[in-house]
Amino acid sequence: MARKKKWIYAFEEGRAEMRMLLGNKGANLAEMTNLDLPVPPGFTITTEACREYYRNGQRLPEGLEDQIKKYLSQLEKKTGKGFGDPVNPLLVSVRSGAPASMPGMMDTILNLGLNDQTVQGLISQTGDERFAWDSYRRFIQMFGNVVLDVSRDKFEHILDQLKERRAHLLGKPLDQVRDTDLTVDDLKEAVQRFKELIASEKGQPFPDDPYQQLMMAVEAVFHSWNNPRAISYRRINNIPHDLGTGVNVQAMVFGNRGWDSGTGVGFTRDPASGKPGLYADYLPNAQGEDVVAGVRTPMDIAWLAENMPAVHQELLRHAEKLERHYLDMQDIEFTVEKGRLYVLQTRTGKRTGPAAIRIAVDMVHEGLITTDQALKMVDARLLEQLLHPQFEPGALAGAEKLATGIAASPGAASGRVTFTAEEAVQWAKQGERVILVRRMTSPDDIDGMHAAKGILTSEGGRTSHAAVVARAMGKTCVVGCRALAINYAEKFFSVNGTIVREGDYISIDGTNGVVYKGDIPVVPSEIVRVVLGDLKPEESPLYRYYEEFMTWVDQRRKLGTQANADKPEEARLARLLGAEGIGLARTEHMFFDPERLPHFQRLILADHKEEREEAMKVILPFQRQDFYGLLKEMDGLPVIIRLLDPPLHEFLPHTEQEAKELAEKLGLPFEDIWTKSLRLHENNPMLGHRGCRLGVTFPEIYQMQTRAIMEAACQLKKEGFNPKPKIEIPLVGHHNELIVTRKYVEEEVKRVIQEQGVTVEYQVGTMIEIPRACLTADKIAQYADFFSFGTNDLTQTTFGFSRDDVEGKFMADYLEEVVGMEGTPILRANPFEVLDPDGVGELMRICVEKGRSVKPDLEIGICGEHGGEPNSVWFCHDIGLNYVSCSAFRVPVARLAAAQAVIREEERAKAKARVGRRKKQVTEVRD
Amino acid sequence: MARKKKWIYAFEEGRAEMRMLLGNKGANLAEMTNLDLPVPPGFTITTEACREYYRNGQRLPEGLEDQIKKYLSQLEKKTGKGFGDPVNPLLVSVRSGAPASMPGMMDTILNLGLNDQTVQGLISQTGDERFAWDSYRRFIQMFGNVVLDVSRDKFEHILDQLKERRAHLLGKPLDQVRDTDLTVDDLKEAVQRFKELIASEKGQPFPDDPYQQLMMAVEAVFHSWNNPRAISYRRINNIPHDLGTGVNVQAMVFGNRGWDSGTGVGFTRDPASGKPGLYADYLPNAQGEDVVAGVRTPMDIAWLAENMPAVHQELLRHAEKLERHYLDMQDIEFTVEKGRLYVLQTRTGKRTGPAAIRIAVDMVHEGLITTDQALKMVDARLLEQLLHPQFEPGALAGAEKLATGIAASPGAASGRVTFTAEEAVQWAKQGERVILVRRMTSPDDIDGMHAAKGILTSEGGRTSHAAVVARAMGKTCVVGCRALAINYAEKFFSVNGTIVREGDYISIDGTNGVVYKGDIPVVPSEIVRVVLGDLKPEESPLYRYYEEFMTWVDQRRKLGTQANADKPEEARLARLLGAEGIGLARTEHMFFDPERLPHFQRLILADHKEEREEAMKVILPFQRQDFYGLLKEMDGLPVIIRLLDPPLHEFLPHTEQEAKELAEKLGLPFEDIWTKSLRLHENNPMLGHRGCRLGVTFPEIYQMQTRAIMEAACQLKKEGFNPKPKIEIPLVGHHNELIVTRKYVEEEVKRVIQEQGVTVEYQVGTMIEIPRACLTADKIAQYADFFSFGTNDLTQTTFGFSRDDVEGKFMADYLEEVVGMEGTPILRANPFEVLDPDGVGELMRICVEKGRSVKPDLEIGICGEHGGEPNSVWFCHDIGLNYVSCSAFRVPVARLAAAQAVIREEERAKAKARVGRRKKQVTEVRD
């Protein structure tokens, strides 16, 4: 059966749509061939062959070799050359190409087919002995490294020795000797010595037979699909591990056959700014690898325009043709051989956030694409880039990299190192820019985090406290930078031999996790400056593109977009970035303020309701002020305020020393405080006495918070504002919990409204963050005015994963572990980053269905970290949520993803209708 | 609308089937009335009126008062007396009566209708002035206490003063003066002083109006539904809190009208042993409350037979009639007034385990009931009583009670107090009986727990470590006995002023949680002695009843019953008690053995795979030996062995001191050990690096365990046994976890089978204990040979409740908290004891459906604590599980519950068919 399978397609047999089977590169080569672009002929071995290779215990599928021979002989006919022919030899390139873009991650071999005989043919064919021997040594070097796994350094070492000899003979210093200074004899010797190296390293000679070379190269490409680099790349970019790669075998053309030859790579528009016009590098008399490897510095494409204007014109025509054909900016590779242009590759080009927006908007204006196509074209994640501060362009050149951690909250920040939250606050008050460096952060550090420009931790993952809070604040943050050894006592950290002391400058990049030494200048986001009124819109072309693009976005999306924000200034920015409400205001952060904490601690430690009420009288005005600010900032828009959620012991001392200090501060006996703190200790606080369980056991806390919310709302109402408070009960798992706490809340609301003599509309709803809540949503919905998915907790309980624990322990293994023979890791993505559709998502579907079965208009949103992640936003749209809520800087991401979800849905519907119509036509014909 | 509601039924209007509306007592009074038993006439106010009372903010429902008046006037006609009539007054009793039996938990008022006028009528009616005034003072006393909430002691104090005066006058010592010595004048004075007491306590006079008395009494009964005693009783007995109580108003009859009057309570068979024949107490010249209150010591029913043979004969006839009518042993109350017998109440009698079995079997033999009815009649929970040791009958008389904790594992135990596991082991070796007393236990205490006769802790709840492990061992255990202040350093505990030192004797009752001082003799279970061969079956009549009964059980049940057992001796007992396999053998307990622990610690602390493998070589033979014993004991039956599950840090030191000791023991640097222990620390270990996550990251541990299992199995096979090992992967949440770990396991199995040269059949399956596993069961089932629900963990994650934390913190509030106006607690039962059908059960249903959708014959069982709880077993039957697994002593419980599940299912089907038939008939008629 496998014998009859078609494992190979010639370029002219393929199409762009076949990218799952042929890989992106193969499909594009086929498409370009059929567009009549000058593509060297060749064929593609399918991704299916790669998958079969892994299924088969890493053996090439049956029948593949025969088919390769068949297609090779066709290639010989097309090129008029012979594979292994000593007179007119056919040389080929062998390149990987997966259905998803993985640039540079897998292997490539050029000049395959050369041996001691065919090199002579190449000489007689081209009349260029040096070129032929140089190609031959390059081939052996590449093959030896990629296929036979001989260290690159060992080849370089031999070359260096030859160069040294040449330097000596030429009387030049070594660093002025170039590859091109090597003579034919040098290159011949290199070939000889490379072969000896391989024989001694591998215990077998370098394969002279071109067929054997080809089969080995094909297998090496398949093998490279699961090299560690490739696996990590896929993990970072959420690419499935079971796609497999195609292998493209293509007749070689040579850019290194003199100054009328050359090679180039380029983009059909500027990938950094999006500016129209070909943006390319060209290297005369060179092969493609020289550009990619950066061995020689390429020239601007202007060189080609000046020196070979016809070729340049042809290239521009092809570039335009490709862009018009693919309707997106293209990343192309080309080669000029003896004045003849070949296009070797095209693919959709990577771009920065600003470029993505500009290209999309320009292409609409150019009439090339519709606005829907523009919306689809932009990766929503890129929008976040537009909002965070960045290092000044060019400022990174020469910067000293200290280490790399996990990129937790994007942006760039520089400042002086401090090791405690208190110092961060003090220094910031004195006008210093500060980077807060901690092993981990805890809720006590909130003020320090606020005061700092950026946060750097040595422990924790992307969902640690530091990461989550920093993202919510829109603060640059790098976590889990394990190379840092922090010495709190002596106030320094050491990293790879460098000591950085308190007060020293460092800079951190929250987009890629890199930590630099020194003070690298940072520029704020142009868009944010405009929305905050610090820059006029007409002064920012980027803002104008952004504004037009976001208008299209908002015309298309159906999902509402709200923001998670705890403070008025966060709410203000969120609103300016398009938030239509606050989907989650946490109230616990408000208790960590040093002015308030002792009172809250007194409240927790109280033995009687009366003592608790006394303490709450002090806290009430603070809370009222918090809510007043938030509701005022969001005037006319809904604000969901979540009542107290975390385990109480988080607010209490964790060591005897802390207990002693607190005892002094509060004037209470140490023994009492310490005993209580120990009693409140929990083995699994995440599953303990928290959320509405606190509301059930300490109703007065929820009533105090309710009072603060409603007094603030009434005050605003009297001042002519339109506050829309929505009170949210966290962690409900049983409808009775909601009945009880809702009753406490409503009693207090009634009292306040009566006292204040003014009516404020309000709602009482619940977080859905416990599996049981989803499973019994039909009961809970009867008592809830709204639902809001807390997918962080829901992910924790659905998986049984503690967010705080799994990242440092086994998550990395789970994302990389190779299962069985298919190279799949246990989890395709960290479920705390990308919503798990099969488990957590299934519970959400059940919840929406059950909830709306009793209350068809029930408003349901999401306020977990996933609310700003595009895949998760699409999922939320698909299951019919009303809105998503995320940190302020992700609101534009969510808006775009929401619009994309609508377009995706319509396309699915159209595809379905097409299938339906086709079926109908078939039926009609049959009838 | 409410006005038209029928709130009252006269006894003759009711039926036994109306118990939800009338309460048990009311329904029984109605039934008895219709059976022509001599029941004093009366009427019942419905439970619906009680529910309406609570819904109504504790106000009597509209229309109720009018209906009471109407039914009272009917009662006046029936009795020929007048309510409040000074000449021929009608007196009534007012009693509560809920749809579930709650003996003595709610309120009763007798002699209602008396006042200064009607007392005269009672005198002229009966000619007995003393009786009339005694009734009057009793009534005021009862009404004052129950309705008006005046302390009982204050009334007693007045009576004591009168008795003292009488003693003085009679020249008798006070303790020889009886109530009956009080004269008419004394009683008149009592009435007067009682009224004064009430007026001064309540600020309003005692109500003279009989109607007012009645309305107040009715309300008091409604109110008593939610007194704390009643709420706790319902909680302990899993009775819903929203049933409400009925109120029975009945014409009084008097047992205290002389020696031809009297009162009695009794059972139609002996409730302790089940022996046939009336088993009753009788008190001549007394009212019922005297018997119940134990004020006077009642006589055996023989007194009645001797002195009033006709009445006795009539009583026997009624008892037989009732038993034949209700087809169950009855608990009856009766009164003789002037030689005339009245039956006041009947209800199904409570009984001990042995009595339950004997009554059921006898009644089948007597031809009264079918075997199915016998199976339904026995509360499955009672079977556990038959298996545990008990205090010697009568031995508790005079025992000094120290405190009461939570009954965690039933049975009785006595022995000498030790405070450490090590000492428990040592003392036991020297032949001492030991009770291990700890604040909490941890896995390190396992050996001490094994060595002890019983375990007593001052902290923790029914699902704490001590409780769970003790139940699994079948060891008597009382936990959470907070009155105990344990001083480990000085080796004593103090409790309510008593000091108990190491070595002192105490006795504990694991069935009711009571702790006694001293050495109370304990007798082992007869049944267990028989199955273990220590007693011949013919020497134990109880065993013969048990055996016959269990034969019927096994003929009916479909669910398999297996046991959770870790050690060969546990497995042996389980098998003798009917276990058809081991549903869960935990392997981690095996690592806590002091001989093995250091090696396992070395394994955990190892930095390299090689070191781990070295340590495992030492552990392997121990594990093999464990599994050999288990598989041999269960020869021919399946044994599910769960691979390592708990977080690794459980095995490591928790304090610096412990780390130092371990460092010395292992000869490793202290710093290393302590750092590693800290690094392995988890914030939420329940959601951390445990279960199959260990198997993924440390495959060599799972492979070592697999090797031990399979080497043991192969050995047994060679010796002619038939081992059936089933290897279980815990905590799977994603099918990829199972794919990976299954692969590791199977590779090792293949190696062992090849080495050993003998084939053993085996299976590889998974625990289902994470919500995600249920939601994706269709994927997981493809790689699992069996599923086993771990409902302890599944309950934790579905609710987001940490078993270790919630019990001491908010669970009590959740089980008692009165929600809104309906008196419902948040949770009807602790979900760790009784399976939650709506949340956890819904996930189980989803799992069974999805799992079997891809593998229709997939074997699915349950091995959580719920596997031995009857309601949960019924649920497991209903959703189609193959078996339940529980601790050995609960296996008979599970067997009976499984049989009951079949009968319940058939009855539901019949009821449905009846409805269907009825519908069909209607349809046919219409056609």
Side-chain angles (χ1 to χ4, degrees), chain A residues 98-372:
Chain A
S101 169
M102 295 171 61
M105 285 301 129
M106 287 178 302
D107 294 332
T108 291
I109 296 139
L110 303 177
N111 299 325
L112 188 138
L114 280 173
N115 56 26
D116 291 350
Q117 285 74 50
T118 54
V119 72
Q120 298 304 333
L122 191 60
I123 294 168
S124 60
Q125 219 183 15
T126 61
D128 188 339
E129 198 179 5
R130 199 189 172 286
F131 156 71
W133 282 100
D134 190 41
S135 299
Y136 192 17
R137 75 89 193 161
R138 283 169 189 264
F139 166 56
I140 299 176
Q141 193 172 350
M142 227 169 189
F143 192 93
N145 175 246
V146 168
V147 179
L148 302 173
D149 202 27
V150 175
S151 157
R152 201 183 290 268
D153 293 347
K154 292 188 174 154
F155 293 105
E156 290 297 335
H157 181 67
I158 292 172
L159 277 186
D160 285 346
Q161 286 178 334
L162 294 172
K163 279 192 215 166
E164 252 171 67
R165 196 178 60 191
R166 189 53 46 201
H168 184 73
L169 290 172
L170 293 174
K172 275 194 193 175
L174 177 62
D175 60 2
Q176 287 182 25
V177 179
R178 301 265 165 273
D179 284 4
T180 42
D181 289 326
L182 293 177
T183 63
V184 169
D185 284 340
D186 289 338
L187 294 168
K188 281 184 182 171
E189 185 174 343
V191 164
Q192 189 52 37
R193 289 180 62 182
F194 283 1
K195 285 188 172 185
E196 283 163 14
L197 169 67
I198 287 169
S200 92
E201 290 271 321
K202 308 306 294 182
Q204 52 184 41
F206 178 79
D208 276 333
D209 175 9
Y211 278 106
Q212 195 189 345
Q213 290 172 359
L214 180 57
M215 294 313 295
M216 287 171 79
V218 168
E219 185 161 358
V221 171
F222 284 165
H223 197 77
S224 71
W225 173 251
N226 270 349
N227 73 37
R229 271 191 318 162
I231 292 175
S232 311
Y233 183 90
R234 290 197 294 268
R235 181 161 63 75
I236 293 163
N237 292 282
N238 284 326
I239 298 171
H241 292 265
D242 53 5
L243 295 177
T245 181
V247 185
N248 299 291
V249 178
Q250 189 174 23
M252 284 293 299
V253 289
F254 298 96
N256 53 350
R257 289 187 61 189
W259 297 99
D260 58 350
S261 301
T263 186
V265 296
F267 297 88
T268 56
R269 297 176 190 237
D270 182 347
S273 70
K275 209 177 125 203
L278 186 68
Y279 180 94
D281 288 333
Y282 184 72
L283 203 52
N285 198 14
Q287 273 195 310
E289 54 164 345
D290 296 327
V291 183
V292 177
V295 177
R296 281 164 54 196
T297 310
M299 299 172 177
D300 190 85
I301 194 69
W303 189 94
L304 193 65
E306 245 170 66
N307 293 284
M308 304 176 80
V311 171
H312 182 249
Q313 279 306 319
E314 191 189 347
L315 179 63
L316 290 181
R317 274 200 315 277
H318 294 328
E320 199 184 332
K321 189 174 194 177
L322 282 168
E323 210 184 56
R324 282 176 178 269
H325 181 72
Y326 285 107
L327 296 179
D328 199 351
M329 183 266 266
Q330 295 295 297
D331 172 354
I332 56 180
E333 286 180 26
F334 59 95
T335 282
V336 181
E337 189 184 53
K338 296 272 166 199
R340 185 164 167 202
L341 177 67
Y342 292 96
V343 179
L344 298 183
Q345 206 194 128
T346 190
R347 60 188 172 199
T348 298
K350 302 241 166 223
R351 63 205 78 179
T352 63
I357 298 284
R358 174 161 183 184
I359 291 171
V361 173
D362 280 348
M363 286 180 82
V364 170
H365 290 174
E366 291 163 20
L368 287 178
I369 59 173
T370 63
T371 55
D372 269 10

Side-chain angles (χ1 to χ4, degrees), chain A residues 687 737 744 802 814 817, chain B residues 687 737 744 802 814 817 836:
Chain A
L687 305 177
E737 294 175 314
Y744 297 145
S802 160
Y814 266 48
E817 178 76 20
Chain B
L687 305 178
E737 293 175 314
Y744 297 146
S802 159
Y814 266 48
E817 177 75 20
D836 159 49

